[in-house]
Amino acid sequence: MAQISLQNLRKIYPNGFEAVQPTNFDIADGEFVVLVGPSGCGKSTLLRMVAGLEDITEGSLSINGRQVNNVDPADRDIAMVFQNYALYPHMTVRKNIGYGLKNRKTAPAEIEAKVQEAAKMLNLVEYLDRKPSQLSGGQRQRVAMGRAVVRDPALFLFDEPLSNLDAKLRHQMRIEIKSLQRRLGVTSIYVTHDQVEAMTMADRIIVLNGGQIEQIGTPAEIYHAPASTFVASFMGAPPMNLVEGRLDTGQVMIGDGIALGNAEGTGPVTVGIRPEDVELNDQGSLMFTVDLVEELGAHRLLHGRLAGQPFTVHVGKEVVVGAGDAAVNIKPDSIRLFDVETGAAR
Amino acid sequence: MTDISQDPHATPARRIKWGRVLDHAILIVGSLFMLIPLLVVLQTTTTTDIETIKNGPELLIGTQFDDNFMKAMFKASGFSGENTGTSMLINSMILGLGFALGKIVIGMMAAYALVYFRLRFATFAFWLIFTTLLLPLEVRILPSYEIAQKLSLLNTYTGLIVPLIASATATFFFRQYFRSVPEELVEAARIDGAGPVKFFIDILVPLSQTMIAAMFIIMFVFGWNQYLWPTMVTTEEGMYTLVRGIKQLTQDLEGTNIPEYGRANMLALIAILPPVAVVIFFQSWFVKGLTESDK
Amino acid sequence: MKRAGFTTRWLPILLLLPQLLIIAVFFYWPAVHAVQSSFFLQDPFGFGSSFVGLDNYRDLAGSGEYIKIARFTLLFTVLVTFFSLGLALLLAVKADNVIRGARSYRTLLMWVYAVAPPVAGFIGLLMFNQSWGPLTEMARAIGWDFKLGVNFNDTATAMVIVSVWKQVPVNFIFFLSGLQSIPKSVREAALIDNRSAVGRFWDVTFPLLAPTGFFLLIINITYALFDTFGIIDTLVKGEPGNNPMTLVYKVYVDGFRGNDLGGSSAQSVVLMVLVLALTVFQFRLIERRIHYT
């Protein structure tokens, strides 16, 4: 078990590119933290610095209060699951799982016992003598998990472990990984570009963009109170609607003087509204023009325009609507305001 | 009335595809073009020398195969009496195996250093090594000979093998292969506590098995077939390889004595057989190794 | 280099050492030596040498014999390259077409790869034997009195034929593997777009094989220039006399037999420059190859 602390951690590549700007955060014992962001945002570099696979340019990384900047990956008491699993192709599942223990001079009988235990936990017992090439994608993923679990590490690191699986299997593995982590109570850092994974698995989410942290918070906080337009549009599918508006005489206005609610201040502002915070209502005060209905079974997405700007509305399956104009209402207190220049929430 | 059922075009399945026949005809002619010279050699190893001198190759299988084989393996033609087929076969084996082994071991080590380590002078070492791909041994043959002479390597196995290893074909090949090995493998191994030596022995070498086999076949054939360098560096008949010995065979056929076609052709056959057998038996590895080396 | 390379200091140096040592002694030393001695004139009796600057090169350029050999080498290279590439392409396309016996054909057409050039030359001596060689008899049947080792043109013809025989298999292997790596979907698309098999070959297959072809072109030129040494040496039975020879053979004859070290070294340097030019050309082509894949 471990708590992790990053202080002003920074990565500059030899070519001068700053992949990670000075970063600070702490992870509590047993916590499941997800680093999420688009590709190239520095999330993998950050994870690899924690693993010791990438040199730390500046700052300090400590695990359980011990600074580990210059400690070899093998001595950091971590385990890592890779995107392509990185199984040793010429070794059986048994040897793959036990290789790390063997290198730590564990007694063969003890290795066997631990491998059996891990295999049982992951439903791999009957595959122990197979080679990775004889396994399905999901089974390989489990072997990679087994290799991490068997070592009983202080910290799990996951580098996009599910992105090579198909949608159905990904959903299943998401639940398995999360429940396994709960059961073992091991502190975990999980990197993904998939915001659904981040929302469903994380105790706490760290949203990264362009090498710096945009927001840290629980999934609910991130979703309901995004700290910037970037977070607002990155988290949630479909993303939050962002509409150009302005503040005038204590009112939030869009289009030709349509008032959405009360707010202090003056000047232009970006207005954020989640698609499910809009309801169709014949008495509604706003006119929404539906261009296209996206049928999703359990619900529908209406794509169209509000006050001349692209806008999406999320409605339940019981609401039947076609293309054309519809009156809508926006739920009170659901409006988020962002600075036009910086994109920061205000 | 015409009987329709006799129309050969009525059942397309039975129609002879002339295109296919032509394909096969061309392939058969091509195969014969490659094969007939070998059959000529084979035929003349079964007849007496007199028979061959009189009639040349014929369409019959003689009875002298055993006799010619014994002459080829145990009779010497030179002055010292040391260049028997047996001794030349042994030398060819030593050259082929030694060359292949040396090339692979040295190449793998160098490629491992270049791909998997952070080295200050890696780029410099890379260029130093890969410039050797540019100049074949043939264009620097005389100075190489002088240096072998200075180091008193003439008529030694070291002198025969080591200078031939001084090019980076295997290193280049393994470098390409190592680079195609997923990055995460070495990362996973490092987290699993494997150091550089352990990673090489436990993971990289077993992983490269097929590549090593392919390289070994190509290098064995290449080493076995060397001619110019062995011709220069070995002057003692006891050091001759089979391919090196060919020169003496051709000169013998010109001599004043009765040309020993049976023995000479048998030796040529023995020089051909091992590398050809290796290439045929390990065909798929060999083809893979050869065609992937250019990528 | 891998992004998470090992940082151990001494190990990589130890790993590189054997390779660097061998190429230093047997590659760079001789190469430098060759360039150096091309500027010197060796005393024929072995009493030292004197600096003559570019004289050795001037002698080469002014030597009618050298120019003649260079011309022959060029012609020889063109013929060997053309015929071994052409034949191999034809056979590879046909071998790719057939299903029955494909494996046997492949084996029969590639085994000669493993035959050493001088052994190929030796077999050539049998095939062109003056009194009963099968190929001499075939030539005689069409009224050609073939005299290997006596008539310049006849000897040259034999050299080309044996060299082509030895080189077809390599080209065949590469062409066949090139053909087999053309995706099935591309062939099927071509089958729908073009009714004529010949048209399909020139419009689709041939352009897709072009990268392999360019690569092989360089390989074949290098082969004709250097690797045919064994074939030539055997066919002329080590006695060049008035027989045709290539530039590499001339280096050997002058340096090893004639003891003209300076002249031979100058010739080596000329060949080095030639190979370097070829290699630069090849790298350019490899860069172009990337576009295709």
Side-chain angles (χ1 to χ4, degrees):
Chain A
M1 306 308 108
Q3 65 253 24
I4 319 297
S5 173
L6 280 70
Q7 279 151 22
N8 291 317
L9 212 62
R10 188 176 190 201
K11 177 72 189 182
I12 300 172
Y13 281 108
N15 63 10
F17 174 66
E18 188 178 23
V20 177
Q21 295 176 26
T23 297
N24 290 290
F25 61 84
D26 293 310
I27 301 172
D29 190 14
E31 196 178 17
F32 195 110
V33 167
V34 174
L35 299 179
V36 68
S39 56
C41 70
K43 56 189 191 300
S44 280
T45 309
L46 202 53
L47 187 80
R48 293 163 55 79
M49 282 197 284
V50 174
L53 298 170
E54 206 81 69
D55 287 336
I56 293 168
T57 313
E58 268 173 38
S60 149
L61 167 74
S62 16
I63 299 178
N64 278 340
R66 175 176 74 127
Q67 204 200 40
V68 292
N69 283 31
N70 296 316
V71 175
D72 204 67
D75 301 326
R76 291 191 183 190
D77 201 12
I78 53 167
M80 185 155 169
V81 178
F82 293 86
Q83 179 172 4
N84 65 3
Y85 318 138
L87 302 180
Y88 310 120
H90 59 292
M91 295 187 189
T92 59
V93 169
R94 174 178 278 113
K95 289 205 168 133
N96 258 291
I97 297 179
Y99 186 64
L101 293 176
K102 193 182 141 215
N103 286 337
R104 282 177 175 70
K105 311 253 182 313
T106 314
E110 194 184 335
I111 295 179
E112 180 59 23
K114 285 196 169 173
V115 170
Q116 284 291 345
E117 191 191 331
K120 224 171 274 166
M121 199 180 337
L122 292 156
N123 292 324
L124 282 171
V125 178
E126 54 197 296
Y127 305 110
L128 277 177
D129 291 313
R130 295 213 191 159
K131 297 255 176 83
S133 59
Q134 298 164 297
L135 301 176
S136 70
Q139 288 162 346
R140 285 182 207 178
Q141 170 67 61
R142 286 209 187 85
V143 177
M145 289 290 299
R147 197 163 63 177
V149 165
V150 78
R151 295 241 317 276
D152 196 14
L155 176 63
F156 276 150
L157 303 174
F158 299 90
D159 190 4
E160 310 226 9
L162 304 183
S163 55
N164 284 355
L165 299 177
D166 63 53
K168 198 175 159 205
L169 210 50
R170 202 180 314 165
H171 182 238
Q172 185 192 333
M173 286 308 297
R174 217 155 68 196
I175 297 166
E176 279 188 32
I177 291 179
K178 179 71 187 169
S179 66
L180 193 70
Q181 191 266 344
R182 274 281 146 75
R183 196 148 26 115
L184 299 172
V186 179
T187 315
S188 302
I189 305 179
Y190 187 107
V191 160
T192 182
H193 65 269
D194 179 352
Q195 53 92 18
V196 179
E197 266 172 40
M199 293 295 289
T200 52
M201 299 177 82
D203 294 329
R204 217 148 43 106
I205 295 176
I206 297 175
V207 185
L208 288 158
N209 184 32
Q212 60 180 340
I213 295 178
E214 289 273 334
Q215 189 173 7
I216 303 181
T218 64
E221 283 165 8
I222 298 268
Y223 189 79
H224 295 296
S228 65
T229 49
F230 173 79
V231 179
S233 57
F234 190 75
M235 303 299 288
M240 183 178 259
N241 292 299
L242 294 173
V243 206
E244 289 169 23
R246 62 188 183 281
L247 294 175
D248 199 4
T249 58
Q251 293 272 355
V252 183
M253 316 281 280
I254 59 168
D256 297 329
I258 305 167
L260 296 179
N262 301 325
E264 293 302 317
T266 53
V269 72
T270 303
V271 184
I273 304 156
R274 287 276 174 206
E276 64 274 20
D277 291 334
V278 181
E279 55 183 14
L280 263 64
N281 186 333
D282 289 343
Q283 271 83 56
S285 56
L286 300 169
M287 197 51 79
F288 173 54
T289 313
V290 181
D291 291 332
L292 179 80
V293 179
E294 203 179 345
E295 179 68 66
L296 291 166
H299 52 95
R300 294 192 177 88
L301 292 179
L302 315 177
H303 300 284
R305 280 158 291 134
L306 185 75
Q309 303 187 52
F311 203 85
T312 301
V313 173
H314 176 288
V315 293
K317 64 181 173 190
E318 67 287 346
V319 181
V320 181
V321 65
D325 288 350
V328 294
N329 258 342
I330 291 172
K331 288 180 191 163
D333 302 331
S334 67
I335 294 174
R336 301 279 167 257
L337 298 179
F338 302 97
D339 191 279
V340 174
E341 300 288 321
T342 63
R346 41 197 282 179
Chain B
M1 282 269 297
T2 332
D3 190 350
I4 295 167
S5 66
Q6 280 184 353
D7 184 354
H9 298 289
T11 46
R14 274 200 212 150
R15 209 173 57 195
I16 298 173
K17 289 180 180 160
W18 289 108
R20 268 302 107 79
V21 173
L22 183 69
D23 288 352
H24 280 280
I26 289 172
L27 286 169
I28 289 168
V29 171
S31 303
L32 288 177
F33 172 65
M34 300 320 285
L35 200 58
I36 283 177
L38 182 71
L39 296 179
V40 168
V41 175
L42 205 57
Q43 196 276 331
T44 52
T45 59
T46 65
T47 55
T48 61
D49 296 338
I50 303 292
E51 179 81 24
T52 308
I53 293 161
K54 258 199 293 189
N55 302 327
E58 296 164 294
L59 284 173
L60 62 91
I61 297 168
T63 53
Q64 302 297 307
F65 188 82
D66 298 354
D67 200 31
N68 285 329
F69 182 74
M70 296 310 273
K71 268 198 275 179
M73 286 309 268
F74 303 111
K75 200 181 150 239
S77 67
F79 308 106
S80 64
E82 280 168 348
N83 61 336
T84 60
T86 325
S87 110
M88 290 196 283
L89 184 65
I90 291 169
N91 289 335
S92 280
M93 278 291 173
I94 291 173
L95 175 56
L97 294 176
F99 174 75
L101 209 69
K103 201 99 189 195
I104 287 172
V105 169
I106 288 171
M108 273 187 96
M109 277 163 53
Y112 182 53
L114 288 177
V115 175
Y116 281 96
F117 289 85
R118 287 181 209 180
L119 260 181
R120 201 174 284 277
F121 60 100
T123 322
F124 179 63
F126 174 83
W127 282 111
L128 218 51
I129 291 172
F130 292 102
T131 310
T132 62
L133 289 177
L134 305 183
L135 297 177
L137 180 64
E138 282 84 354
V139 304
R140 54 189 156 88
I141 193 82
L142 285 166
S144 294
Y145 173 78
E146 281 173 32
I147 284 159
Q149 196 175 28
K150 263 182 212 160
L151 301 173
S152 46
L153 290 174
L154 301 187
N155 290 310
T156 64
Y157 288 121
T158 318
L160 190 60
I161 295 169
V162 176
L164 288 173
I165 298 179
S167 96
T169 38
T171 315
F172 190 66
F173 181 86
F174 280 113
R175 177 176 168 269
Q176 294 297 87
Y177 176 67
F178 288 165
R179 280 156 64 100
S180 76
V181 171
E183 302 252 8
E184 288 83 354
L185 227 46
V186 63
E187 296 174 352
R190 286 186 69 184
I191 291 175
D192 270 345
V197 177
K198 230 178 192 150
F199 173 73
F200 189 62
I201 292 167
D202 280 359
I203 292 167
L204 206 56
V205 172
L207 206 64
S208 318
Q209 267 172 2
T210 322
M211 291 296 138
I212 295 172
M215 242 328 68
F216 199 89
I217 293 160
I218 291 168
M219 290 302 165
F220 174 77
V221 172
F222 189 84
W224 178 285
N225 285 346
Q226 282 304 307
Y227 177 66
L228 180 54
W229 182 247
T231 305
M232 301 189 72
V233 88
T234 60
T235 46
E236 283 169 19
E237 290 174 342
M239 287 297 294
Y240 280 17
T241 64
L242 284 165
V243 174
R244 160 76 172 93
I246 288 289
K247 187 163 196 160
Q248 207 173 24
L249 291 181
T250 61
Q251 281 158 354
D252 282 357
L253 295 185
E254 287 293 285
T256 44
N257 301 333
I258 299 169
E260 295 181 293
Y261 279 108
R263 173 173 175 271
N265 292 358
M266 181 63 83
L267 281 172
L269 197 64
I270 298 169
I272 291 174
L273 233 43
V276 167
V278 165
V279 162
I280 289 177
F281 281 128
F282 303 107
Q283 212 178 107
S284 54
W285 280 352
F286 158 73
V287 170
K288 191 177 155 69
L290 195 67
T291 51
E292 280 190 7
S293 60
D294 80 294
K295 286 188 183 136
Chain C
M1 209 209 50
K2 301 276 171 183
R3 52 183 186 198
F6 293 105
T7 44
T8 327
R9 284 267 167 90
W10 52 271
L11 188 64
I13 295 168
L14 215 64
L15 288 168
L16 278 169
L17 209 59
Q19 170 97 71
L20 291 177
L21 213 62
I22 287 179
I23 61 172
V25 176
F26 292 107
F27 183 87
Y28 284 103
W29 190 3
V32 169
H33 199 74
V35 175
Q36 211 176 23
S37 52
S38 72
F39 297 114
F40 285 85
L41 185 66
Q42 201 89 13
D43 184 277
F45 303 104
F47 299 119
S49 50
S50 47
F51 183 77
V52 294
L54 291 172
D55 276 7
N56 286 322
Y57 293 96
R58 243 171 255 136
D59 287 351
L60 277 190
S63 151
E65 196 205 354
Y66 189 74
I67 304 291
K68 197 181 139 207
I69 291 172
R71 275 213 198 105
F72 172 75
T73 309
L74 181 68
L75 180 68
F76 174 78
T77 307
V78 168
L79 289 175
V80 170
T81 304
F82 177 77
F83 282 112
S84 45
L85 280 177
L87 274 178
L89 181 60
L90 174 70
L91 291 168
V93 168
K94 296 306 172 193
D96 187 46
N97 271 350
V98 302
I99 296 157
R100 193 172 300 174
R103 233 189 118 76
S104 311
Y105 285 132
R106 199 175 82 165
T107 308
L108 283 169
L109 289 169
M110 66 175 254
W111 66 273
V112 174
Y113 170 87
V115 175
V119 179
F122 178 80
I123 295 174
L125 283 179
L126 292 183
M127 299 300 285
F128 288 107
N129 183 291
Q130 195 53 55
S131 33
W132 43 255
L135 288 173
T136 317
E137 281 174 8
M138 271 173 69
R140 234 170 246 154
I142 57 165
W144 179 359
D145 187 16
F146 201 96
K147 285 199 166 83
L148 176 69
V150 178
N151 181 302
F152 185 93
N153 287 335
D154 292 358
T155 312
T157 309
M159 283 176 182
V160 171
I161 291 175
V162 176
S163 303
V164 169
W165 181 73
K166 167 81 187 89
Q167 186 63 2
V168 163
V170 184
N171 297 339
F172 172 77
I173 293 167
F174 274 98
F175 274 135
L176 188 61
S177 109
L179 282 168
Q180 286 170 345
S181 68
I182 295 176
K184 213 175 155 221
S185 56
V186 172
R187 287 163 186 246
E188 285 168 347
L191 213 57
I192 293 167
D193 288 340
N194 196 336
R195 165 183 288 273
S196 138
V198 178
R200 283 200 301 271
F201 176 78
W202 291 113
D203 292 346
V204 179
T205 315
F206 191 75
L208 286 176
L209 271 186
T212 311
F214 281 133
F215 168 75
L216 284 177
L217 189 68
I218 305 289
I219 296 282
N220 280 268
I221 292 173
T222 319
Y223 163 79
L225 285 177
F226 300 109
D227 300 344
T228 50
F229 178 89
I231 294 174
I232 292 166
D233 193 36
T234 322
L235 279 179
V236 301
K237 297 171 187 150
E239 301 296 336
N242 289 324
N243 282 313
M245 64 168 113
T246 58
L247 290 172
V248 169
Y249 202 77
K250 172 89 172 139
V251 171
Y252 167 77
V253 169
D254 286 1
F256 211 53
R257 297 267 184 76
N259 263 329
D260 174 14
L261 274 183
S264 170
S265 296
Q267 293 180 35
S268 290
V269 174
V270 168
L271 282 175
M272 284 184 198
V273 172
L274 195 66
V275 187
L276 280 173
L278 267 177
T279 314
V280 170
F281 183 58
Q282 183 183 13
F283 278 139
R284 284 268 169 90
L285 284 177
I286 286 174
E287 272 170 29
R288 188 113 60 84
R289 270 161 66 88
I290 296 166
H291 282 297
Y292 270 60
T293 42

